[in-house]
Amino acid sequence: MTSFPPTVGVASTRPSDMPADHAELPVWNAENWFYEDWPVGQKIRSLRRTMAEGDSHLFNTLVLDIHPYVQDQMFAEREGIFGKRLVAGAFVFSAGLGLVATNCVNAFSYGYDKLRFIKPVFIGDTIYSIRTNMEKRPRYHDMGLIRASYEVFKGEGELVLYCEHLQTVKYKNPADFAGKTEK
């Protein structure tokens, strides 16, 4: 198995608005890597998360999703094709990606490709995610473009969602990419 550098808490952002000894501590669940540090082929797996009814209702309320498949138990049981309520796909996407989201201070979301809802997720299902770093290429004067796949599974490994996340990531040394960028 290929060994990759650690993905979390490897450096501090060193904020000036807190005590210096606190600012020097590595930040939990934060990455401080640059484009050059991004390891193609690295995979990470999340902890699991059960999609609870209250969380589903809260998400639906926040995004104004009142579709009967996600909000109406009687409809879902009597008229729906699954016989029970679904968790909104947008919530599965958000929660699934959030489980393996990084808080890299040098990366910025560029967009998503190939988003597919492969299987339904129901209230009470437990999900987990795997992120795979797929590729990277120089793009801008001071940032490169990286692509990672996200696979969200439920239960004991049933794939329910797939997408690819594109991010721009700052170069550690932009001069190394002079003449290699697209824009």
Side-chain angles (χ1 to χ4, degrees), residues 49-63:
R49 181 190 200 286
T50 300
M51 305 301 279
E53 182 172 16
D55 295 334
S56 181
H57 276 304
L58 180 59
F59 182 87
N60 295 341
T61 300
L62 289 171
V63 300

Side-chain angles (χ1 to χ4, degrees), residues 77-130:
E77 288 178 352
R78 296 176 186 165
E79 300 178 49
I81 63 172
F82 302 109
K84 54 186 171 179
R85 279 183 297 137
L86 296 169
V87 174
F91 184 33
V92 176
F93 171 74
S94 297
L97 273 61
L99 286 170
V100 287
T102 62
N103 296 308
C104 181
V105 297
N106 300 315
F108 310 92
S109 188
Y110 188 75
Y112 294 91
D113 285 343
K114 302 180 182 177
L115 173 58
R116 298 293 181 269
F117 300 104
I118 298 166
K119 297 264 177 108
V121 174
F122 303 104
I123 305 291
D125 282 347
T126 298
I127 65 169
Y128 65 93
S129 300
I130 294 176

Side-chain angles (χ1 to χ4, degrees), residues 1-8 10 31 33 37-45 100 102 130-135 146-151:
M1 178 168 203
T2 304
S3 177
F4 293 104
T7 61
V8 296
V10 295
E31 296 178 336
W33 43 256
D37 304 323
W38 194 73
V40 173
Q42 181 186 48
K43 290 179 178 256
I44 60 171
R45 177 187 49 81
V100 287
T102 62
I130 294 176
R131 183 186 83 195
T132 303
N133 296 342
M134 298 172 64
E135 66 177 340
I146 63 173
R147 178 184 297 269
S149 69
Y150 288 77
E151 297 170 293

Side-chain angles (χ1 to χ4, degrees), residues 168-180:
T168 52
V169 182
K170 288 173 30 179
Y171 301 127
K172 190 180 302 180
N173 186 5
D176 291 346
F177 298 93
K180 299 177 186 175

